């Protein structure tokens, strides 16, 4: 159910969005294109961030302190600790080497619920996010599949149809090379995508950082989500 919320705009008329765990701003660019003024926060410095404002610091702490100042909040907690291999086959290896990945979805949700603003949490298939929405690169004609799931709170949107994939992801699998219309935008070697291929596949033209490009959402996903949220707000206001 979409609940009425006062939209507080910046001087140029755009509603305010908080982009938590922002990385280089794949999500930010999409929301900007949908009409938002975007403030990003990330624990790491992000010199390539494309949003309107950037703060370096703990994203959950920032949500608690400043989340109420925004009309909509997008959060992309790190997914490395949420994937099936990390929680399954690789879990013992990580423990043995003394390494671990943070599990931040639950504390992020707790902070967001306390703030009370409409939000979306994005993550991978094996994560703890509620699967309210699934988006795929094929829905936007992209050369990357990158299935991502979104938990929504304070608003709702219909699930778009998941189009049939046109073929395989290009690269090596168990010693055999497969060609296809999609690139593997993760890792290195084995026919995985180059920096330029990831930039083209995701529609990200402002960074050449290979690791951050692999992690970034395609802006097309959040352009769609942002437009859907603003439409839902207008329908409630009417």
């Amino acid at each position: 159910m979409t609940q009425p919320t006062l939209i507080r705009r910046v001087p140029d008329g755009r509603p305010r969005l908080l982009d938590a765990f922002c990385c280089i701003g794949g999500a930010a660019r999409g929301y900007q294109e949908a009409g938002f003024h975007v403030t990003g926060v990330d624990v790491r410095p992000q010199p390539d961030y494309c949003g309107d404002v950037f703060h370096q610091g703990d994203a959950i702490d920032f949500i608690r302190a400043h989340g109420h100042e925004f009309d909509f909040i997008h959060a992309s907690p790190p997914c490395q600790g949420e994937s099936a291999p990390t929680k399954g086959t690789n879990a013992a290896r990580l423990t043995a080497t003394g390494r671990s990945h943070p599990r931040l979805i639950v504390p992020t949700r707790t902070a967001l619920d306390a703030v009370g603003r409409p939000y979306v949490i994005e993550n991978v298939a094996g994560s703890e996010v509620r699967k309210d929405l699934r988006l795929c690169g094929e829905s936007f004609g992209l050369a990357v599949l990158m299935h991502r799931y979104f938990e929504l709170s304070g608003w709702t949107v219909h699930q778009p149809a998941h189009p049939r994939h046109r073929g395989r992801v290009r690269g090596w699998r168990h010693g055999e090379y497969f060609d296809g219309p999609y690139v593997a935008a993760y890792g290195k070697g084995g026919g995985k995508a180059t920096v330029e291929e990831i930039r083209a596949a995701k529609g990200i033209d402002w960074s050449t950082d290979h690791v951050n490009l692999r992690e970034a959402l395609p802006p097309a996903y959040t352009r769609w989500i942002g437009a859907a949220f603003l439409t839902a707000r207008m329908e409630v206001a009417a």
Side-chain angles (χ1 to χ4, degrees):
M1 177 179 180
T2 302
Q3 302 168 0
T5 303
L6 176 65
I7 297 292
R8 295 165 292 180
R9 302 176 186 272
V10 294
D12 65 8
R14 290 178 291 166
R16 302 188 65 198
L17 182 138
L18 175 59
D19 178 18
F21 309 96
C22 63
C23 190
I24 58 173
R29 178 55 56 85
Y31 285 121
Q32 287 175 318
E33 292 171 349
F36 287 88
H37 177 280
V38 182
T39 296
V41 58
D42 200 288
V43 72
R44 298 179 297 164
Q46 297 292 348
D48 290 346
Y49 186 62
C50 67
D52 298 283
V53 179
F54 174 76
H55 294 278
Q56 184 177 351
D58 184 272
I60 295 175
D61 288 345
F62 194 91
I63 290 169
R64 293 192 186 109
H66 300 284
H68 65 281
E69 301 170 9
F70 295 87
D71 303 297
F72 188 37
I73 303 175
H74 173 103
S76 292
C79 65
Q80 291 87 347
E82 302 296 334
S83 63
T86 302
K87 293 189 288 188
T89 56
N90 289 340
R93 184 184 308 164
L94 288 169
T95 300
T97 58
R99 294 185 296 126
S100 63
H101 295 298
R103 303 286 299 278
L104 297 178
I105 290 175
V106 172
T108 298
R109 181 190 295 123
T110 299
L112 290 167
D113 287 340
V115 167
R117 307 303 292 169
Y119 67 76
V120 55
I121 306 175
E122 172 268 328
N123 222 273
V124 296
S127 72
E128 298 180 62
V129 296
R130 193 173 61 244
K131 310 303 190 289
D132 296 327
L133 173 69
R134 177 179 69 170
L135 294 180
C136 167
E138 180 59 33
S139 300
F140 306 100
L142 303 180
V144 62
L145 291 177
M146 198 171 181
H147 296 106
R148 289 296 182 269
Y149 292 81
F150 302 84
E151 176 176 329
L152 315 180
S153 179
W155 71 293
T156 58
V157 67
H158 72 280
Q159 169 65 54
H162 185 191
R164 182 183 179 89
H165 297 170
R166 290 170 286 133
R168 300 189 67 117
V169 176
R170 188 199 71 198
W172 289 90
R173 303 289 185 278
H174 306 293
E176 183 177 0
Y177 183 81
F178 297 93
D179 200 2
Y182 311 108
V183 298
Y186 51 86
K188 290 184 177 181
K192 295 182 176 63
T194 65
V195 164
E196 287 307 315
E197 287 172 332
I198 298 174
R199 282 163 52 95
K202 291 188 175 184
I204 295 176
D205 61 5
W206 63 91
S207 177
T208 57
D209 186 300
H210 190 229
V211 173
N212 285 338
L213 282 168
R214 282 154 37 189
E215 295 179 356
L217 274 179
Y221 289 23
T222 49
R223 182 170 61 245
W224 187 92
I225 291 172
F229 173 78
L230 292 177
T231 297
R233 295 292 106 175
M234 289 188 290
E235 290 174 350
V236 169

